[in-house]
């Protein structure tokens, strides 16, 4: 078992608070500005990162999984490799949670599948995690455990850990191998921790690349026909027949 570190919740920034009071009378804020001040701290994470803070995790949610210590996110590359080297909030970092039992809220101890943007499911490949299969089986089953509550639904921002179908923990932050995602154990209690953040706007399309794929077609070359061959007729040769004269 591993230690359950305390979750430190950051206080939202208070927007619009006056730094000093120069005037004895101040105009009363309008209703719109007052509502904006109340809503902006809650909306800011979604505006900046594309993360929605509301609701519990549910079947079908697209989620970013962040390593708390490094602020790097679980990433699935085009070839199916899984790692936590990058801090992007992009399509490669979106993982769709699917409950084994179907639609509903995700609880501590639920069995889930992790579908990547490739349409392939993350699964154990020896001591590594890969997204290579479009089918689900034992190797694609993960138990999600909350590191903050003992039971009940899991809310966004909760520290969680994943365990494979055979009970091994998923290591996402091993200081000895930062960025690598493996299956096994670590001496660092925080090596298993991920923060679950729900994406504000679901994405259904795979990301497009701006780099065109290399082509194997050879370049075509056009060599003009020499004008001397195109306009000059072939020479004609006339050889006179030999004449023979026989003396009388």
């Amino acid at each position: 078992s591993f230690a359950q570190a305390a979750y430190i919740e950051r206080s939202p920034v208070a927007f619009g608070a006056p730094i000093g009071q120069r005037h004895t009378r101040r105009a009363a804020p309008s209703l719109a500005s007052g509502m904006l001040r109340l809503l902006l701290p809650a909306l800011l994470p979604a505006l900046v990162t594309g993360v929605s803070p509301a609701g519990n995790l549910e079947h079908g949610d697209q989620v970013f999984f962040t390593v708390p210590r490094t602020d790097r996110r679980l990433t699935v590359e085009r070839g199916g490799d899984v790692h936590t080297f990058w801090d992007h909030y992009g399509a490669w970092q979106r993982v769709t949670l699917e409950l084994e039992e179907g639609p509903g809220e995700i609880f501590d101890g639920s069995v889930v599948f992790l579908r990547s943007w490739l349409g392939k499911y993350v699964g154990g490949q020896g001591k590594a995690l890969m997204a290579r299969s479009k089918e689900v089986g034992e190797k694609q089953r993960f138990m999600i455990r909350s590191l903050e509550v003992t039971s009940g639904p899991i809310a966004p921002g909760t520290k969680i850990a994943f365990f494979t179908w055979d009970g091994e923990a998923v290591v996402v932050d091993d200081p000895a191998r930062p960025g690598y995602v493996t299956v096994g154990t670590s001496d660092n209690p925080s090596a298993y921790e991920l923060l679950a953040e729900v994406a504000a706007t679901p994405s259904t399309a795979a990301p497009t690349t701006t780099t065109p794929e290399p082509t194997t077609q050879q370049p075509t070359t056009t060599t003009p026909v020499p004008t001397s061959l195109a306009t000059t007729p072939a020479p004609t040769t006339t050889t006179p027949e030999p004449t023979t004269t026989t003396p009388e």
Side-chain angles (χ1 to χ4, degrees):
S1 64
F2 44 88
Q4 297 187 6
Y7 178 63
I8 301 175
E9 183 177 10
R10 296 181 180 178
S11 300
V13 179
F15 291 91
I19 298 175
Q21 193 78 17
R22 293 189 178 183
H23 303 284
T24 57
R25 299 182 60 186
R26 300 176 66 234
S30 65
L31 178 61
S33 64
M35 291 296 293
L36 182 61
R37 289 183 182 181
L38 291 175
L39 294 176
L40 193 55
L43 294 176
L44 189 61
L47 296 175
V48 175
T49 64
V51 171
S52 174
N56 295 320
L57 296 182
E58 295 184 357
H59 171 86
D61 279 346
Q62 291 187 358
V63 179
F64 299 113
F65 291 108
T66 301
V67 177
R69 186 182 69 87
T70 64
D71 200 33
R72 304 299 173 93
R73 268 155 281 286
L74 195 73
T75 300
V76 179
E77 291 199 40
R78 190 176 297 277
D81 293 337
V82 180
H83 61 77
T84 56
F85 287 112
W86 300 338
D87 61 355
H88 304 164
Y89 280 100
W92 290 15
Q93 286 73 40
R94 288 173 182 255
V95 177
T96 302
L97 281 174
E98 295 184 1
L99 267 171
E100 184 181 44
E101 60 190 28
E105 288 188 323
I106 295 175
F107 285 73
D108 174 48
S110 292
V111 176
V112 297
F113 302 111
L114 308 177
R115 180 162 54 85
S116 69
W117 65 275
L118 296 166
K120 299 178 180 179
Y121 291 86
V122 175
Q125 298 286 334
K127 290 298 181 181
L129 290 188
M130 307 288 289
R132 294 285 177 85
S133 176
K134 290 190 175 182
E135 304 295 331
V136 293
E138 287 294 327
K139 292 185 177 181
Q140 286 73 39
R141 297 174 78 245
F142 292 92
M143 178 180 289
I144 184 170
R145 298 305 308 264
S146 171
L147 304 183
E148 300 176 29
V149 295
T150 56
S151 62
I154 298 176
T158 300
K159 283 184 179 179
I160 59 96
F162 286 113
F163 291 84
T164 62
W165 61 277
D166 56 354
E168 290 198 87
V170 176
V171 180
V172 295
D173 182 28
D174 188 348
R177 301 188 67 197
Y180 287 91
V181 177
T182 59
V183 176
T185 59
S186 173
D187 294 333
N188 183 9
S190 65
Y192 314 95
E193 295 177 356
L194 287 170
L195 284 178
E197 304 169 283
V198 177
T201 55
S203 174
T204 57
T208 58
T209 176
T210 57
T211 304
E213 296 182 1
T215 59
T216 57
Q217 182 180 0
Q218 297 295 328
T220 57
T221 56
T222 57
T223 304
V225 179
T227 55
S228 58
L229 297 180
T231 58
T232 305
T236 58
T237 57
T238 56
T239 304
E241 296 180 357
T243 58
T244 58
T245 304
T246 302
E248 293 180 356

